[in-house]
Every structure is written in structure tokens, then in C-alpha cells.
Amino acid sequence: MTLAIKNGHLIDPASGISEPMDVLVEGPTVKQIGKDQSADELLDAAGCVVCPGLVDIHVHFREPGYEFKETIKTGSRAAAHGGFTSVVTMPNTNPPIDNAGMVEFTLRRAREVACIKIHPAACATKGREGRQMTEMAELKAVGAVAVTDDGADIESSWVMRRVLEYANMCRLTYLAHCEDASLADGGVMNEGFNSTKLGLPGLPKAMEEIMIDRNIRLAALTGAKIHIQHVTTAGGIEIIRRAKNSGVRVTCETAPHYWTLTDDAVTDFGTNAKMNPPLRELEDVEAVKNALADGTIDCVATDHAPHTFTEKDVEFQIAPFGVVGLETALALTITELVEPEVISIERAVELLTSAPAKVLGLPAGALEEGGPADITVFDPKAEWVVDPEDFESLSGNTPFAGRTVRGRVQATVCDGRIVYQRKRQP
Ligand SMILES: [Zn+2]
């Protein structure tokens, strides 16, 4: 079987291509990139961008343990719907992914039920308790692509140093959720004017920045590769910028809600605007945008964190942290960054494809002859209204419901198979 994706505008940041081009797919691979391709099956991409399948290195698929929020199957469908063909799943499941058997379980489930590619990250410490290291060499041997205790930081600097040393020896990147637990304790939203007004306990920016700084210093000390997850503050970005300039092996990501919303959203959207780290202030949103444009922030990741309606339908203080993101990420990138000319469409595609793939060395994020046929086709001009009812995710906890956005996925192809295609409207 061959498939031709015709009449689209091809953007492949890895090779620097941005021009009208057809893509010919044969089986699971890209056979040819060029003009006037013909094939058994045709996918018309007129008016659309054709790019490598999107890559998200930070998602929570909740299996095992919390299958009522999301499963590997529903998470993969949400990913395909959002244009993603490769994701890295976080290990804070129940039980956590802290041994080889659990990594194998994730990969086996993925083979059985997922329509896209799942790359598991594994815990850095047993039970994510921040005390005893996991068997990282073994975890890597069975397919873990990174180690992390995401959801929390490692409190002890001594343990963190050992973790980074061992991860470095195993050539694994540590994904760092930076949070000083003692400073964050009890906080539910950004500490500032709004938290005072609402009478809610705050999460100061320092809780994040102290640990970004500590973790980077330990990375410098050990020579390890560290990736800072979900950076949200101007101060945190400044620390990372300085570290990069002085040669530390540090990369970082941010999520779409951090360049789209401030903590004002807590008043408007309630618990669907509750996540950790929390939404910050205008100066932070501006700093995030600038850092995406100048390359200080390496890539976009969604931190897709599904919770059910019932779990979120409670008082702000007791609601769980987290929002879903896979099905709105591309549109929020286009609407909030490309259309206002903060970044180019090519940079947007890079932030969602080759850049995240490069952070972890994943075999994804590029379109090349002979390479995997993981391809996303999206209409950058198409306008739509976010409606969680349309999500493939089991959960709909988004602060963007009802928001009009631009940029819609028309088709997602993974290993040459169309895993999502938008139905034509009558
Ligand atoms: Zn996190």
C-alpha cells in the first residue's frame, strides 16, 4: 500500500525544508519527498501544513492505577487527535514505573492498544520516595528513555547528586520537576495579588526557582544531562539562560497554558486552572514567550494530566493539580504564538517535533526518505471552538473550553497508518 499526501506545505525543521511538497509513503516508511506523487491512496493537504508527527515528552496516561482518568489506549487516541505520534509517559502511576517489569508492562500495553508510539520514562528513585535509586541500567535496557520522579522533586541534594551521577553513567537524561516541597507545602495557586484576594494559600515562584538552581548546579557538578520540566517563571528562565551560556548540559520545556494564561484564570475557570507549577503573572508569560522565541526554552510539552470531572468538581483547595493538553497544544501554539508573530510557523513546528525529539534522542520529529512515516497534517487557518465533549481523552479538565482558536489537525499518520482523520463536514 502506498499513500500520497499531496498539495500541502511541507515543514521539516530537521532538514530546514519549508515549501510546497508532496510526501509518498510506502508501508511504515517515507518513500519519497517531492512533487507530483501518485499512490494507491490520496490524502489531500491543500491549504495545510504537512510536518513530522508531533512529539510530546511529558504526558500522564495514568495506567496502571488510575484508568478512570486515562488509559494508554485513550491517551494515545487523544494524542493522535492532537497531531502527536510520539509521547513520553511519566512514571507516577500506581504502582509507579520503578522497575524493569513495569517498563515492560507499559511497552506491552502500548503494543496492544496504542495507535501512536509510547516511550516510557521510569522513576529515578524507588516508589518515587526520593531515597533509594532505581536500577537505571536495567530500566534503560528494557526501553526507558529517561528517568524522573515527576510530580515531585528529590528533596535530598545528596540523593539527587547520586541520581544524576548514575543517570549520567547510564546515558539517561533526568527530567526535573523543580519544586521545594517545604516552600510549596499547602499552596494551591501562584502566590501574589490574586491569591491574597481569593484568600488561597500561595505557591511562591521561589519554590520553583530554588530547585531549578539547585538541580542545575548538581548537573554541573556531575556532568549529567538535565531537562527542566514545565518552567513557568521569569526568574527560572533567567537561571536556565545563564546555565546554558556557561555550558551546563541543561534543556527545558514549557506547556501551552504558561504562555496563554495568568493566575487571573483561577477566578474565571476555577479548578480547571489549577496545576503545579501554577499559572503565574503577566511578566512571567512575557518571559516564557521571549524564551520560546530566543531558544532558551528548547521545546513545548503538554504535561497532559487528566482528572475526571468529579475529582475537579470540588473546592479549589482540595482539587487535584493538572490539566489535559494534547488536544489543544497545537492550536494554542498557533493562536497565541504564531498569529501574534511571537514566533514563525517553522519555529512552532520545531518546538513540537524535532526539538523535543532531540532533548531525549528519540527516533522521531523528522521527515526524511527512508525514515518512519509519522506525519501530521494541519490547517493553520481553520478556526474552531474548544469543546471537551469532542476530546478523545477520558478527561476534559481544560481551562480552554469555549475558547476560539486557530489551527486544526486534519490527519495524523503513524508508521504509515492514518490514526486520526478529521471527518468532512456535510
Ligand atoms: Zn511535574
Side-chain angles (χ1 to χ4, degrees):
M1 262 306 261
T2 51
L3 166 73
I5 303 171
K6 289 179 75 97
N7 311 318
H9 183 99
L10 183 79
I11 297 179
D12 178 44
S15 62
I17 295 176
S18 178
E19 58 185 289
M21 205 75 95
D22 297 345
V23 181
L24 180 66
V25 173
E26 189 179 55
T29 48
V30 174
K31 176 131 197 254
Q32 211 174 355
I33 295 171
K35 302 268 162 72
D36 304 317
Q37 304 289 343
S38 58
D40 305 333
E41 202 180 343
L42 180 77
L43 210 157
D44 185 15
C48 290
V49 168
V50 177
C51 68
L54 308 188
V55 178
D56 187 351
I57 59 171
H58 190 163
V59 303
H60 298 268
F61 281 179
R62 307 301 193 197
E63 184 177 349
Y66 310 100
E67 287 88 349
F68 53 95
K69 299 174 195 263
E70 195 81 287
T71 64
I72 289 169
K73 183 175 184 175
T74 60
S76 82
R77 284 203 186 141
H81 187 211
F84 291 87
T85 55
S86 294
V87 301
V88 175
T89 49
M90 294 299 113
N92 62 337
T93 49
N94 187 18
I97 314 297
D98 65 356
N99 59 66
M102 290 307 295
V103 173
E104 284 168 335
F105 163 83
T106 308
L107 289 168
R108 188 171 62 244
R109 284 300 288 157
R111 273 196 306 276
E112 286 164 3
V113 299
C115 61
I116 59 139
K117 294 169 181 171
I118 312 273
H119 300 282
C123 298
T125 68
K126 289 186 182 149
R128 295 174 55 244
E129 287 173 352
R131 287 198 280 270
Q132 239 187 315
M133 284 193 289
T134 51
E135 299 293 343
M136 294 182 205
E138 216 178 297
L139 296 170
K140 179 168 178 168
V142 294
V145 295
V147 285
T148 178
D149 274 7
D150 181 41
D153 212 326
I154 292 173
E155 223 173 295
S156 157
S157 300
W158 186 87
V159 173
M160 181 60 108
R161 177 186 183 169
R162 299 293 166 232
V163 160
L164 289 173
E165 279 169 348
Y166 190 23
N168 192 31
M169 234 167 68
C170 301
R171 295 182 188 277
L172 282 164
T173 301
Y174 183 80
L175 310 174
H177 167 114
C178 300
E179 173 181 342
D180 181 313
S182 61
L183 256 185
D185 191 32
V188 295
M189 69 174 290
N190 178 57
E191 183 173 305
F193 176 78
N194 280 320
S195 66
T196 308
K197 203 174 68 177
L198 293 166
L200 290 170
L203 293 162
K205 295 176 195 177
M207 92 182 195
E208 212 180 317
E209 293 159 357
I210 287 170
M211 290 314 236
I212 291 177
D213 192 57
R214 181 203 70 168
N215 291 336
I216 285 177
R217 281 172 193 274
L218 292 174
L221 179 67
T222 57
K225 255 181 88 183
I226 195 166
H227 174 76
I228 310 294
Q229 298 178 298
H230 42 53
V231 59
T232 70
T233 75
I237 289 166
E238 204 37 56
I239 295 166
I240 295 164
R241 187 175 281 131
R242 250 185 289 132
K244 284 187 161 189
N245 287 338
S246 63
V248 184
R249 297 165 79 199
V250 57
T251 52
C252 70
E253 70 188 33
T254 196
H257 37 275
Y258 298 122
W259 70 70
T260 312
L261 301 170
T262 65
D263 62 356
D264 288 344
V266 172
T267 314
D268 302 335
F269 307 112
T271 59
N272 280 335
K274 181 177 177 181
M275 66 288 280
N276 188 17
L279 298 170
R280 300 295 188 182
E281 295 168 272
L282 201 56
E283 55 165 355
D284 303 298
V285 170
E286 288 307 317
V288 164
K289 286 183 181 174
N290 290 335
L292 284 161
D294 73 16
T296 304
I297 294 179
D298 296 85
C299 67
V300 168
T302 66
D303 193 2
H304 179 82
H307 295 292
T308 62
F309 177 78
T310 343
E311 291 173 285
K312 280 284 199 182
D313 190 28
V314 293
E315 275 173 69
F316 195 85
Q317 262 164 285
I318 57 171
F321 289 104
V323 295
V324 290
L326 283 166
E327 292 164 269
T328 48
L330 177 66
L332 292 169
T333 306
I334 290 172
T335 311
E336 301 294 327
L337 299 176
V338 177
E339 298 225 311
E341 296 183 356
V342 176
I343 58 171
S344 65
I345 184 89
E346 287 82 6
R347 173 68 178 151
V349 171
E350 180 183 27
L351 283 163
L352 287 158
T353 59
S354 57
K358 189 175 158 204
V359 167
L360 294 181
L362 300 176
L367 264 185
E368 56 195 356
E369 292 174 1
D374 296 350
I375 304 164
T376 296
V377 178
F378 68 91
D379 181 345
K381 298 283 176 215
E383 202 172 87
W384 57 287
V385 178
V386 178
D387 181 358
E389 291 289 315
D390 299 335
F391 286 175
E392 294 286 341
S393 173
L394 268 188
S395 297
N397 51 312
T398 174
F400 300 110
R403 196 180 182 106
T404 301
V405 291
R406 293 238 255 174
R408 188 167 49 194
V409 176
Q410 298 297 324
T412 308
V413 176
C414 187
D415 275 337
R417 283 179 45 233
I418 298 175
V419 290
Y420 168 74
Q421 187 163 23
R422 204 180 116 69
K423 291 185 193 81
R424 271 181 210 282
Q425 297 303 311

